[in-house]
Amino acid sequence: MNNNLGFNFDNSYLTLPTTFFDIDSPAEFPEPCVAIVNENFATEIGLDFSSLSSEEKAKLFCGNLIPEGTSPFSQAYAGHQFGNFTNLGDGRAHLLGEHLTPEGVRLDIQFKGSGRTHYSRRGDGLAAVGPMHREYILSEAMHALGIPTTRSLAVVHTGETILRERHLPGAVLTRVASSHIRVGTFEYAAATRNPDNISALLDYTVERHFPELAESQTKAMCLLHAVMERQIHLILDWMRVGFIHGVMNTDNVLLSGETIDYGPCAFMDRYHPDQVFSSIDQQGRYAYANQAPITQWNLVRLAEALLPVMGTDLEACAKEAEELLISFEQLYQKAWLQMMRKKLGLLGEAADDETLINDLLAYMQRAGADFTNTFRDLSTADHPTITDEEFTAWYLRYQNRRLQHGQSIEHSIALMQSVNPFVIPRNHQVEEALSETENNNLGPMLHLLEVLKKPYDYTQACESYQSPPEPSAHIYQTFCGT
Ligand code: AMP
Ligand code: MG
């Protein structure tokens, strides 16, 4: 296909040893049809599809028309899934290529649901309409919330039916990511038992994401440190908005620090630290409050994979890595406290801030308080209407603390409103919008996407999206959607 769309491909991943990828083409889809294209995002990254007919767009975004200058491929990786090591790879994804934006930013453009690959194992390589639109909504919502994430450029309905627990319409999502280098990619490299593969991936990752480490004599250790910092920031963002990823397997952890893979993820309505939505997470491994400890566990897997190239004295390197990873807990706790202070509009530091914060959370848990609305209510100038005795006593302590450090209420409120969203993609509303997409009615989804664009601004339009679900509409489980 003639490339007058702004694509500027440079597939640097293909300079890695060939064990890391497989050159491969998406499946043929006889009757693809465009459901949605993220035109604003396309413009931001230097792409323009206005010259294309809708048929051409459909073919482009299901991988059936390949722009000049690239050649699709799938990536190899491994991963610990719910604690168990497995070799995986892109079983239903093809990278169209790496696009360099006019600003020189390198982005992976990837199709998800685009057919079988070398790595498909027993899977059909396909995806259903619902989960692909779900990823579109959630990734765009996360971006609007200011949280690092992969983005969504388009969804195409393939016109084919795929078999899951029932027959479902198929779809392909075009995902855009800073890269798809995962903790599981390093685990894959380590599993080849060839240190040259690990070194090659290390050099490549440093050059792509952490060029400031390129000259370091202890590159692998520095990378581990830098990735740990990014992961801490990411998890804190999730905790701040009540996001539960649901499948924090090591193949779903990107070294770039972006959120990836919106399978059974969900935002909490009622606060509970043990909240789990995913139907496949029976043990609560990836529950809300477990997300930081699991991240530390995932980083240990990265450290193990990097160890063979960390230095000559393996024992000393292992000890240093262990100490670094132990420091995760303190670093995270400190950053969490700081994040929670912002959510409550507390400037400066007071000795009993942690108790004050934990007491509120304990009350919220007991009362089944809505996570988003509780913090939003606290960030309006009015006194909350809650009459509960425990809450009233807490609120008094809170007001006193808030006026310490010479801070004004206005300043406190401004701080709170910058970190506490008014609207989040609530599960029941996302599900409602998605059920319509199966019938090709995209209206509710487009409306939801519009409201989610400015989650920190109060608008009339967002009012109806602020309500927690009625008990009958409460969603207790989400499904992986593979
Ligand atoms: P996920 O749970 O989406 O992170 O996927 C885990 C692994 O399963 C990845 O290697 C996917 O490529 C693979 N996978 C998921 N669904 C399918 C499918 N329908 N066909 C082939 N592979 C799949
Ligand atoms: Mg995945």
Side-chain angles (χ1 to χ4, degrees):
M1 168 184 204
N2 190 341
N3 179 6
N4 55 356
L5 311 170
F7 279 121
N8 181 15
F9 289 111
D10 175 43
N11 297 343
S12 63
Y13 206 80
L14 302 182
T15 63
L16 281 171
T18 53
T19 186
F20 284 102
F21 56 84
D22 188 58
I23 305 282
D24 200 2
S25 294
E28 280 292 322
F29 297 105
E31 275 189 277
C33 173
V34 176
I36 187 164
V37 177
N38 197 341
E39 302 284 358
N40 287 341
F41 178 48
T43 308
E44 269 171 46
I45 62 174
L47 300 177
D48 177 5
F49 306 114
S50 58
S51 64
L52 298 181
S53 67
S54 52
E55 287 78 25
E56 285 170 323
K57 272 190 207 167
K59 284 192 173 162
L60 171 66
F61 289 120
C62 71
N64 286 172
L65 266 182
I66 303 294
E68 269 172 13
T70 191
S71 166
F73 59 99
S74 296
Q75 294 180 338
Y77 55 88
H80 275 83
Q81 298 194 303
F82 292 91
N84 303 308
F85 181 82
T86 323
N87 256 317
L88 298 160
D90 286 330
R92 55 165 174 172
H94 295 84
L95 245 106
L96 176 62
E98 296 159 32
H99 162 63
L100 292 178
T101 70
E103 289 76 35
V105 178
R106 184 179 295 273
L107 296 171
D108 278 3
I109 313 275
Q110 191 203 54
F111 302 122
K112 183 170 172 179
S114 46
R116 284 182 58 78
T117 72
H118 180 69
Y119 310 104
S120 295
R121 295 172 291 160
R122 274 167 301 165
D124 60 6
L126 303 173
V129 162
M132 295 306 98
H133 282 298
R134 190 163 206 280
E135 171 152 347
Y136 190 107
I137 297 171
L138 282 153
S139 62
E140 289 309 292
M142 291 288 269
H143 172 70
L145 284 161
I147 300 177
T149 177
T150 63
R151 301 290 304 275
S152 295
L153 185 59
V155 177
V156 163
H157 294 190
T158 61
E160 286 188 340
T161 298
I162 69 167
L163 184 61
R164 291 296 179 263
E165 62 282 8
R166 60 189 169 101
H167 287 280
L168 295 168
V172 174
L173 169 86
T174 305
R175 172 157 80 186
V176 179
S178 289
S179 86
H180 285 84
I181 304 167
R182 309 150 192 263
V183 168
T185 318
F186 276 89
E187 291 182 270
Y188 172 82
T192 65
R193 300 196 173 275
N194 177 353
D196 291 347
N197 287 335
I198 314 175
S199 287
L201 184 64
L202 170 64
D203 290 345
Y204 179 78
T205 306
V206 164
E207 195 182 326
R208 188 156 173 183
H209 293 298
F210 305 92
E212 66 281 6
L213 306 180
E215 301 305 318
S216 164
Q217 297 299 304
T218 54
K219 231 191 236 186
M221 191 70 74
C222 289
L223 177 73
L224 182 64
H225 197 157
V227 172
M228 179 172 97
E229 282 177 355
R230 285 201 193 177
Q231 285 297 318
I232 288 178
H233 278 118
L234 180 66
I235 304 308
L236 279 171
D237 268 341
W238 293 358
M239 300 302 278
R240 173 170 64 83
V241 299
F243 176 78
I244 301 170
H245 183 284
V247 253
M248 294 173 67
N249 295 332
T250 54
D251 51 301
N252 290 335
V253 180
L254 292 179
L255 270 77
S256 67
E258 289 176 348
T259 311
I260 187 168
D261 220 320
Y262 293 87
C265 65
F267 282 73
M268 254 191 315
D269 295 301
R270 278 181 272 181
Y271 171 72
H272 200 296
D274 301 335
Q275 177 71 58
V276 173
F277 288 101
S278 169
S279 60
I280 51 171
D281 190 1
Q282 303 287 341
Q283 312 293 322
R285 179 180 172 91
Y286 300 137
Y288 175 73
N290 257 0
Q291 299 191 117
I294 280 294
T295 297
Q296 186 189 32
W297 192 93
N298 288 342
L299 290 167
V300 177
R301 305 287 82 76
L302 177 61
E304 284 168 356
L306 284 168
L307 192 59
V309 299
M310 262 187 189
T312 39
D313 184 345
L314 283 190
E315 216 168 291
C317 289
K319 194 160 180 331
E320 195 182 334
E322 191 182 343
E323 279 164 14
L324 175 67
L325 292 165
I326 288 174
S327 76
F328 176 99
E329 285 155 40
Q330 264 197 341
L331 286 174
Y332 174 81
Q333 189 55 23
K334 206 167 158 220
W336 177 84
L337 196 56
Q338 211 40 39
M339 179 274 286
M340 290 303 291
R341 283 195 182 103
K342 282 192 195 157
K343 273 183 87 67
L344 285 171
L346 305 176
L347 295 179
E349 295 180 11
D352 55 358
D353 281 350
E354 195 163 348
T355 315
L356 186 75
I357 292 162
N358 283 327
D359 286 351
L360 173 66
L361 292 173
Y363 160 75
M364 288 168 64
Q365 181 177 338
R366 182 175 66 73
D370 185 82
F371 186 75
T372 305
N373 291 353
T374 302
F375 287 100
R376 280 320 298 217
D377 290 349
L378 288 171
S379 44
T380 59
D382 315 324
H383 280 253
T385 49
I386 305 168
T387 52
D388 182 282
E389 238 174 68
E390 183 184 341
F391 180 81
T392 315
W394 177 84
Y395 192 74
L396 208 63
R397 283 161 60 205
Y398 170 54
Q399 284 300 66
N400 287 335
R401 163 64 179 91
R402 228 172 159 193
L403 295 170
Q404 283 174 14
H405 303 279
Q407 104 182 53
S408 72
I409 287 289
E410 290 73 27
H411 193 170
S412 168
I413 287 175
L415 180 63
M416 293 173 87
Q417 295 193 346
S418 70
V419 294
N420 293 318
F422 262 109
V423 276
I424 49 154
R426 289 187 185 272
N427 308 320
H428 63 298
Q429 284 155 345
V430 172
E431 292 307 321
E432 253 170 58
L434 290 181
S435 64
E436 290 298 318
T437 61
E438 270 185 41
N439 312 322
N440 275 327
N441 174 14
L442 265 72
M445 170 173 158
L446 295 176
H447 198 245
L448 180 61
L449 282 169
E450 207 45 47
V451 171
L452 292 169
K453 270 188 187 154
K454 294 217 155 113
Y456 300 102
D457 293 354
Y458 177 77
T459 60
Q460 284 236 299
C462 76
E463 229 168 49
S464 59
Y465 289 90
Q466 283 183 276
S467 319
E470 296 293 329
S472 61
H474 204 93
I475 287 173
Y476 297 98
Q477 271 200 338
T478 48
F479 296 90
C480 206
T482 44

